[in-house]
Amino acid sequence: MKLSLVVPCYNEAENVIPFQEAVIQAFDGCGYDYEIVFVDDGSTDATLHNLKKIFAAQACPVKVVSFSRNFGKEAGLYAGLHYASGDYISLIDADLQQRPELVREMAAILDEKKEYDVVAAYQDRRGEGKVLSFFKRCFYKIINALSKVSLQPDASDFRTFRRSVRDSILDLAEYHRFSKGIFAWVGYSTCFIPYTAQPRANGTTKWNFWKLFNYAVEGIIGYSTAPLRLATCLGGVTGIAAVIYLIAVVLEKFLKGIDVPGYATIIVLILLLGSVQLFCIGIIGEYVGRTFEQTKNRPVYITKEILSYE
Ligand code: UDP
Ligand code: MG
């Protein structure tokens, strides 16, 4: 049995060497063959330099894939899967927030329980603020209500799966990648286990509120067309309201002889309907933009260099 660890790295110069040491400690003498597939996602610090050092030292089987620029973690995972040749494949971060020993436990579950194809870790205790966790809860509620796939709240990308799952994921070559959705979409039976994320070993997280917000929009637009229906619904509702108001105005004019004062009403209605229309065009634009990106058929990433022990 061979295990591949896929590790996307973006500006993780101080972390990659301790990470490799932690992997060696966790896996030596455990009975699995293993390889580490590092993907350098266009780092601007010494990450690639340190990865080359790791490769040259040959302390364990290592592959290093380096990108021509920063393509994002999703692209890094996709490339890593491409080059991973193990029977089991694990996705794990380079910052030591996820302990490599847990990968061994995940592999043991796959060994024992043949009915499972994926073992995914979810965070049992989150060290983040109340506001952020509120928004995350909202995100999972919305996406699970709107889309056909169902996402496990708090499930991370930290997971181990069989080769067949990897092949299915590679078949999804879409440009806008949202791995939580991709995992849910390809299916397979998944065993969820809790884990506690460790504090980052070195450096800072690459996520901030807006990046997370964009990522959430990516997920919702990518996995549901329900927002498109919003325009139809709003159009229907305002249409009905307009007809009712029209009847009311005509009756007041001809039965009661009241002139309807119009100026303020007209301004408010123009502004309201104008904003509703712009909002709906914006939603359609999100989908059109993604269709445009996808029809260009560009690769998800560009590799500059590959080092392999094989
Ligand atoms: N990462 C990457 N490309 C990016 C951003 C992040 O490959 O553009 C990697 C990063 O090096 C780390 C993993 O993705 O190994 C998770 O990133 P981070 O620790 O910043 O996210 P968090 O753990 O805070 O969710
Ligand atoms: Mg991290």
Side-chain angles (χ1 to χ4, degrees), residues 7-12 39-41 43 70-74 76-77 92-95 97-98 123 136 200 204-207 211-212:
V7 195
C9 312
Y10 177 54
N11 292 347
E12 304 281 6
V39 182
D40 170 47
D41 185 12
S43 300
N70 179 247
F71 281 89
K73 182 182 175 184
E74 297 284 343
L77 292 177
I92 183 168
D93 291 350
D95 55 10
Q97 285 197 279
Q98 303 159 342
Q123 291 195 41
K136 287 193 175 171
R200 218 173 200 285
T204 50
T205 173
K206 275 91 195 170
W207 292 97
K211 278 195 177 169
L212 280 175

Side-chain angles (χ1 to χ4, degrees), residues 12 14-16 18-19 94-97 198-204:
E12 304 281 6
E14 293 103 356
N15 290 331
V16 286
F19 174 83
D95 55 10
L96 286 166
Q97 285 197 279
Q198 308 295 310
R200 218 173 200 285
N202 292 292
T204 50

Side-chain angles (χ1 to χ4, degrees), residues 23-75:
V23 171
I24 293 178
Q25 213 175 27
F27 281 92
D28 261 6
C30 75
Y32 291 105
D33 282 341
Y34 65 96
E35 63 171 10
I36 310 180
V37 184
F38 286 109
V39 182
D40 170 47
D41 185 12
S43 300
T44 50
D45 65 357
T47 303
L48 184 58
H49 177 78
N50 289 350
L51 290 178
K52 284 182 176 170
K53 268 209 278 199
I54 291 175
F55 179 77
Q58 295 188 339
C60 70
V62 165
K63 290 175 185 164
V64 178
V65 180
S66 77
F67 285 176
S68 59
R69 63 168 170 88
N70 179 247
F71 281 89
K73 182 182 175 184
E74 297 284 343

Side-chain angles (χ1 to χ4, degrees), residues 11-298:
N11 292 347
E12 304 281 6
E14 293 103 356
N15 290 331
V16 286
I17 293 173
F19 174 83
Q20 188 217 18
E21 285 163 359
V23 171
I24 293 178
Q25 213 175 27
F27 281 92
D28 261 6
C30 75
Y32 291 105
D33 282 341
Y34 65 96
E35 63 171 10
I36 310 180
V37 184
F38 286 109
V39 182
D40 170 47
D41 185 12
S43 300
T44 50
D45 65 357
T47 303
L48 184 58
H49 177 78
N50 289 350
L51 290 178
K52 284 182 176 170
K53 268 209 278 199
I54 291 175
F55 179 77
Q58 295 188 339
C60 70
V62 165
K63 290 175 185 164
V64 178
V65 180
S66 77
F67 285 176
S68 59
R69 63 168 170 88
N70 179 247
F71 281 89
K73 182 182 175 184
E74 297 284 343
L77 292 177
Y78 187 60
L81 287 183
H82 196 96
Y83 291 98
S85 59
D87 305 292
Y88 295 160
I89 291 107
S90 262
L91 308 180
I92 183 168
D93 291 350
D95 55 10
L96 286 166
Q97 285 197 279
Q98 303 159 342
R99 290 181 307 113
E101 295 91 70
L102 203 60
V103 174
R104 245 173 57 188
E105 291 171 29
M106 290 171 161
I109 294 177
L110 290 180
D111 276 344
E112 261 171 50
K113 303 185 175 166
K114 299 280 183 249
E115 69 270 27
Y116 287 122
D117 300 301
V118 183
V119 180
Y122 67 89
Q123 291 195 41
D124 57 350
R125 231 171 341 112
R126 278 187 172 272
E128 65 202 14
K130 283 205 171 71
V131 181
L132 192 58
S133 56
F134 167 76
F135 278 111
K136 287 193 175 171
R137 274 203 308 278
C138 288
F139 165 72
Y140 283 108
K141 283 225 172 74
I142 293 174
I143 196 163
N144 282 332
L146 293 186
S147 80
K148 288 193 191 81
V149 297
S150 98
L151 304 191
Q152 165 87 4
D154 291 337
S156 58
D157 294 340
F158 184 26
R159 43 181 81 213
T160 302
F161 40 84
R162 296 184 200 282
R163 211 182 154 75
S164 49
V165 180
R166 168 240 190 213
D167 295 341
S168 304
I169 296 173
L170 284 181
D171 283 342
L172 305 189
E174 62 219 47
Y175 186 77
H176 284 275
R177 305 189 71 77
F178 178 72
S179 55
K180 289 178 200 300
I182 288 176
F183 283 121
W185 193 88
V186 296
Y188 293 100
S189 41
T190 305
C191 169
F192 289 99
I193 59 168
Y195 89 105
T196 310
Q198 308 295 310
R200 218 173 200 285
N202 292 292
T204 50
T205 173
K206 275 91 195 170
W207 292 97
N208 57 35
F209 184 80
W210 284 113
K211 278 195 177 169
L212 280 175
F213 180 78
N214 282 331
Y215 189 64
V217 170
E218 199 66 64
I220 292 169
I221 302 278
Y223 283 84
S224 168
T225 49
L228 284 173
R229 210 162 296 149
L230 189 69
T232 323
C233 296
L234 283 175
V237 170
T238 48
I240 292 169
V243 170
I244 293 172
Y245 189 58
L246 176 83
I247 295 171
V249 169
V250 169
L251 289 182
E252 281 188 337
K253 172 84 184 160
F254 290 105
L255 296 182
K256 297 184 188 164
I258 307 169
D259 269 337
V260 183
Y263 180 69
T265 325
I266 288 173
I267 294 294
V268 168
L269 284 181
I270 287 177
L271 288 179
L272 180 76
L273 290 183
S275 61
V276 166
Q277 283 171 359
L278 284 180
F279 183 68
C280 292
I281 291 174
I283 293 178
I284 297 169
E286 295 283 338
Y287 286 90
V288 174
R290 280 167 178 73
T291 315
F292 171 61
E293 296 270 14
Q294 187 63 49
T295 49
K296 285 198 268 188
N297 250 332
R298 298 209 169 145

